[in-house]
Amino acid sequence: MAAGAFGDVGLFFLISAWKPEKYKNTIPLLGWLSLFEGCDLLYYGLLLDLDFFLL
């Protein structure tokens, strides 16, 4: 289910990058949501004491 959700988000990014003049109102929203998602992932990564690289 998570892979499908990330796939949908990636497809939305692709469509927005393909025709930016049509989706110019959603591009700032995608940027802010990406920053929020990055902060969220950083918070839970630090909370769960995850390594930066899982090698």
Side-chain angles (χ1 to χ4, degrees):
M1 188 163 50
F6 283 121
D8 290 341
V9 170
L11 184 64
F12 192 59
F13 269 97
L14 178 68
I15 291 170
S16 296
W18 186 33
K19 295 191 177 194
E21 64 278 350
K22 185 175 180 183
Y23 298 103
K24 65 182 175 190
N25 294 333
T26 60
I27 293 173
L29 178 63
L30 289 173
W32 284 110
L33 289 175
S34 294
L35 285 173
F36 174 74
E37 181 182 5
C39 292
D40 189 45
L41 292 173
L42 177 65
Y43 172 75
Y44 282 107
L46 294 173
L47 182 72
L48 297 172
D49 196 31
L50 298 176
D51 292 333
F52 286 111
F53 298 102
L54 299 175
L55 299 176

